[in-house]
Amino acid sequence: MYITRQSLRTIAWSTLALSAARAQFVIDNLSFGQKEGVYISPDLRSIPHFVVQGINDYVPQVLSDRVILTPPYPGNKRGSIWAQDPLHQRDWTAELDFRATGMERGGGNLQIWYVRESQAHETPASLYTAPKFDGLVLVIDQYEGRGGSVRGFLNDGSVDIKSHPHPDTLAFGKCDHAYRNRGHLSTIKLHHTAGFLEVIVDGESCFKTDKIKLPEGYYFGVSASSAENPDSFEVHKFVVSTTDSHTREEPNKQRYANADQHQEQQNIAAQKAHEQQTHRQQQQQYGSSTDQNNIPKLVEDVLAGNIKTQQDQFADLHNRIQIINNRVANMLDIVEQMHQLNEQRFNDLMHRIVPIDDRSAATIRNVEKVERTTMEILRDLESKDFKDMLQQVHRAIENSQEGLSRTLPLAMGAVVGSHKPSLLLFLFIAIAVQIMVTGAYIVYKKRRNGAPKKYL
């Protein structure tokens, strides 16, 4: 089949138009990861408009481009992400990009929830451990050992699935999907319109039914749980979009977006009355007194679309300009007061610094005197000749040495002579020693002669 350039151009423009329309109607406060190059978490701890939670002291890890609901190790962990705002559209599409990795026989499951407020934001649980819930849950697990499957379950709050003897028989639709260790992301879409609900896996229809109609005001959530041999579930993107451009959610929209219009009209009327009263007070203040301290109260914020007439627009603008003028005048007064106070403090400080200068001058003068005295002493030491003094010291040492040489031998001789032993003492000692030796020899001989004889 031959395709002309004009046909290709038409297809390209149609594709761009559809992409632009889809991007235009993304519900930002129910989505994350839909913007390329933008972190899903500004602080790597939380996701705007979502609640990230776990159990048993475990909190899912939030990274720049993904959320790890269950870790690779250890097992038996549970984590979940719940939207803080409900969905108020009848026609919508929820798209989830995830990845599951683990060991060869790892186990775990992933759930996509769309339930009532009373069940949202609770402790994360799987289908088999969840209490009675009201809404839809899409389960991705290894059902029947086929490598993976996607199944849908409905509940109106009356069926306790965890106590059911055969909970797998309650599924209204299923298909096979090998989601583990694929090396790339898996994409699951839930497309809901007024006529049918369809589940699409990786661009192919999984199951579709026209017997289900989900109500508005329910909450989206994604939960995962791992077994003893764990699977790690990572969520990279969750995008909720709608084709209704008039009623789609806006970022930071409050939970009760469909509040009573009568209350809004009352708020607008009270705002106008407050503005008129403020205007009258301003006129009275400026007409009777120029005191800038009586600043009128701030005008409450109001949407531009709520101001219909030119008179209301002029009144609002006039009030805000006068409030700004009063604020600026008050700031000028505060700045003037601060300037005067700082000037007074400066003058006081300068007065206190003057005595310090006097003491510093006296200290400098004392230091100069010490320096002059030191220089004089140094000059005196350098100018005098110490040769005569050194010669006198040398001569005194020589005289002392000569005196010691003459007197020391005499003194030593006298000491030795006075304390030396006498000759008679030496003779007495020698004779005594001879007598003792002779006596000892005689005693020895007697004992030897008196001892018994030994014969061989």
Side-chain angles (χ1 to χ4, degrees):
M1 182 179 64
Y2 179 73
I3 301 177
T4 63
R5 292 183 178 180
Q6 185 176 2
S7 300
L8 289 174
R9 187 178 302 173
T10 303
I11 293 172
W13 280 110
S14 301
T15 304
L16 291 174
L18 291 175
S19 300
R22 182 185 180 282
Q24 182 182 1
F25 301 138
V26 170
I27 305 175
D28 292 331
N29 62 326
L30 299 180
S31 308
F32 62 86
Q34 74 274 21
K35 298 180 180 179
E36 296 291 338
V38 179
Y39 289 173
I40 64 175
S41 173
D43 55 1
L44 299 182
R45 290 191 300 271
S46 60
I47 302 177
H49 310 291
F50 284 84
V51 177
V52 182
Q53 60 185 358
I55 62 172
N56 296 332
D57 298 331
Y58 169 73
V59 178
Q61 186 177 4
V62 180
L63 303 179
S64 60
D65 60 343
R66 73 194 72 176
V67 181
I68 302 177
L69 292 178
T70 57
Y73 179 84
N76 297 323
K77 298 296 181 181
R78 297 178 184 178
S80 67
I81 310 173
W82 286 99
Q84 294 179 339
D85 300 324
L87 177 67
H88 294 291
Q89 277 71 37
R90 292 176 298 177
D91 300 338
W92 50 266
T93 300
E95 178 181 348
L96 175 69
D97 287 356
F98 75 97
R99 179 167 57 191
T101 56
M103 58 187 65
E104 181 179 0
R105 296 184 179 182
N109 50 47
L110 181 74
Q111 289 79 214
I112 304 175
W113 303 84
Y114 182 70
V115 295
R116 197 173 56 187
E117 181 180 7
S118 59
Q119 282 87 30
H121 309 156
E122 293 181 354
T123 302
S126 65
L127 172 70
Y128 306 103
T129 59
K132 298 179 181 180
F133 64 91
D134 184 1
L136 167 71
V137 58
L138 199 65
V139 181
I140 301 98
D141 61 1
Q142 301 183 72
Y143 173 68
E144 292 183 347
R146 297 181 179 179
S149 64
V150 180
R151 295 173 295 156
F153 295 83
L154 285 175
N155 195 353
D156 58 358
S158 61
V159 180
D160 189 2
I161 296 181
K162 67 180 180 179
S163 300
H164 197 277
H166 302 287
D168 298 323
T169 59
L170 301 177
F172 66 89
K174 66 177 181 178
C175 68
D176 295 334
H177 174 56
Y179 62 91
R180 298 184 68 251
N181 300 324
R182 303 183 64 191
H184 58 85
L185 299 179
S186 298
T187 302
I188 295 182
K189 291 184 180 180
L190 282 79
H191 182 59
H192 177 267
T193 62
F196 64 91
L197 171 68
E198 184 179 11
V199 177
I200 303 172
V201 179
D202 290 340
E204 298 181 359
S205 179
C206 178
F207 58 86
K208 181 178 179 181
T209 177
D210 57 355
K211 299 180 181 180
I212 295 176
K213 181 179 180 182
L214 299 176
E216 302 177 15
Y218 279 26
Y219 291 79
F220 280 108
V222 180
S223 67
S225 61
S226 61
E228 185 175 357
N229 296 329
D231 272 344
S232 176
F233 287 94
E234 302 176 2
V235 175
H236 290 248
K237 181 174 68 174
F238 184 74
V239 179
V240 179
S241 58
T242 179
T243 57
D244 190 355
S245 61
H246 300 286
T247 60
R248 69 186 183 94
E249 294 283 345
E250 296 291 342
N252 299 325
K253 185 174 181 179
Q254 299 298 328
R255 181 170 298 179
Y256 303 101
N258 56 350
D260 191 8
Q261 296 182 356
H262 180 67
Q263 181 67 26
E264 183 178 358
Q265 293 177 358
Q266 289 182 352
N267 293 335
I268 296 174
Q271 174 68 21
K272 291 182 179 180
H274 177 71
E275 292 177 356
Q276 294 177 0
Q277 183 178 1
T278 303
H279 182 65
R280 288 195 300 269
Q281 290 178 357
Q282 291 177 354
Q283 289 180 348
Q284 293 176 1
Q285 289 174 357
Y286 286 108
S288 60
S289 174
T290 60
D291 187 11
Q292 297 294 334
N293 294 327
N294 296 325
I295 300 175
K297 295 182 179 180
L298 293 175
V299 177
E300 296 180 358
D301 294 336
V302 62
L303 296 176
N306 295 333
I307 304 177
K308 303 299 182 181
T309 63
Q310 293 183 354
Q311 183 178 1
D312 294 338
Q313 293 177 356
F314 175 78
D316 182 75
L317 182 62
H318 174 74
N319 293 337
R320 295 182 186 278
I321 291 175
Q322 288 202 349
I323 290 174
I324 292 174
N325 290 334
N326 291 336
R327 290 292 184 182
V328 171
N330 188 22
M331 292 173 63
L332 291 176
D333 291 340
I334 294 174
V335 171
E336 183 66 24
Q337 293 176 4
M338 292 177 63
H339 177 70
Q340 294 177 358
L341 181 60
N342 291 334
E343 187 175 1
Q344 183 179 0
R345 290 179 178 176
F346 177 77
N347 294 331
D348 294 341
L349 184 61
M350 293 301 295
H351 287 303
R352 293 182 180 180
I353 290 175
V354 172
I356 296 176
D357 290 340
D358 294 340
R359 289 194 296 270
S360 300
T363 303
I364 293 173
R365 288 193 296 271
N366 293 332
V367 172
E368 291 177 352
K369 289 180 181 180
V370 172
E371 290 180 351
R372 286 196 297 270
T373 304
T374 305
M375 294 300 296
E376 291 176 357
I377 295 172
L378 182 61
R379 285 195 298 269
D380 291 340
L381 293 174
E382 291 177 351
S383 62
K384 290 183 179 181
D385 191 4
F386 296 95
K387 291 183 179 180
D388 296 338
M389 184 180 296
L390 293 176
Q391 290 179 358
Q392 292 177 4
V393 172
H394 183 66
R395 286 194 297 271
I397 293 173
E398 288 180 350
N399 294 332
S400 300
Q401 184 180 2
E402 291 177 358
L404 289 173
S405 300
R406 291 193 300 268
T407 58
L408 186 58
L410 298 175
M412 293 297 294
V415 171
V416 173
S418 60
H419 293 83
K420 67 180 180 178
S422 62
L423 183 59
L424 297 175
L425 181 60
F426 279 110
L427 292 175
F428 178 76
I429 293 173
I431 294 169
V433 171
Q434 291 293 330
I435 292 171
M436 291 175 63
V437 171
T438 302
Y441 179 75
I442 294 170
V443 172
Y444 168 75
K445 294 296 289 181
K446 288 182 178 182
R447 289 186 177 182
R448 183 177 179 183
N449 294 328
K453 304 299 181 177
K454 297 180 179 181
Y455 298 98
L456 297 175

